[in-house]
Amino acid sequence: MFKIAGIQKTTLLDYPTKVAAIVFTQGCNFRCGYCHNPELLDYNKNTNFLPEDILNFLKTRLGKLDGIVITGGEPTLQTGLYDFIKKIKHLDFAVKLDTNGTNPKILEKLLNENLVDYIAMDIKAPIEKYSEITGINVNTNNIKTSVNLIIKSSIEYEFRTTVLKSQLCFDDFDKIGQLIKGANLYYLQKFVPNKIYNEKLNSDTTYNNDELQAICNHMKQYIKEVYYR
């Protein structure tokens, strides 16, 4: 099964240094209040997109696109993810995978078979606050395993955290730094009020630029490169 919600045919922003298309998968096991794709949280049986449709489209973009971003939702919930990515790689596209890190087994398989070229993993919170921020009971051992797999891999990657003042304090970021210690790249992402899962959070705020820079500077003791965006 590989449930696709839609495709963005071109992006210059979502895959660093590459012109890419974005494939959006359906379904997520988290219920983060600030999620900006709430329409993708549940499965929609009426979807009109099939994996073959996406692959046929990509065949028309050979030489025009460098890579494919697979995002969601949470792509690793899809049992057909491995086969879908394998077919994309046969077309010689680079693959970037966005994930929440809850399925380290599929990440390990993809990494071992050189089927992904870039991974972006969301770090929702320090381990002890994961269930609070995500709205579900999280197996945090899976989160830790995914972090370690990614850091030890030879591919490009980034970790990233969406920042709301009401959810994460300065000490929380220090703990996140310890969680991903040794990582190459980490981004703090400003929360932007918009269409989100919990609309009550639209009145919330992020940190200002000076505060975000201070957090970045502190976290550089754990991570090689830290930025906010």
Side-chain angles (χ1 to χ4, degrees), residues 102-150:
T102 53
N103 194 345
K105 287 184 179 180
I106 185 63
L107 290 183
E108 185 173 27
K109 185 175 183 179
L110 293 169
L111 287 167
N112 286 343
E113 298 189 28
N114 299 313
L115 292 177
V116 285
D117 304 280
Y118 195 113
I119 293 179
M121 178 175 165
D122 293 310
I123 303 294
K124 302 296 185 178
I127 287 297
E128 61 268 27
K129 292 181 75 171
Y130 245 81
S131 294
E132 174 189 343
I133 300 301
T134 62
I136 68 160
N137 291 322
V138 180
N139 181 339
T140 54
N141 286 329
N142 285 341
I143 302 299
K144 294 175 184 177
T145 300
S146 292
V147 167
N148 290 331
L149 283 170
I150 293 168

Side-chain angles (χ1 to χ4, degrees), residues 15 21 37 41 44 50 52 65 111 118 120 123 139 189 196 199 203 214-215 221:
Y15 196 147
N37 286 329
L41 295 179
N44 179 2
L50 297 174
E52 293 74 18
L65 294 176
L111 287 167
Y118 195 113
I123 303 294
N139 181 339
Q189 299 184 149
I196 57 175
E199 293 183 354
S203 60
I215 295 170
Q221 65 183 299

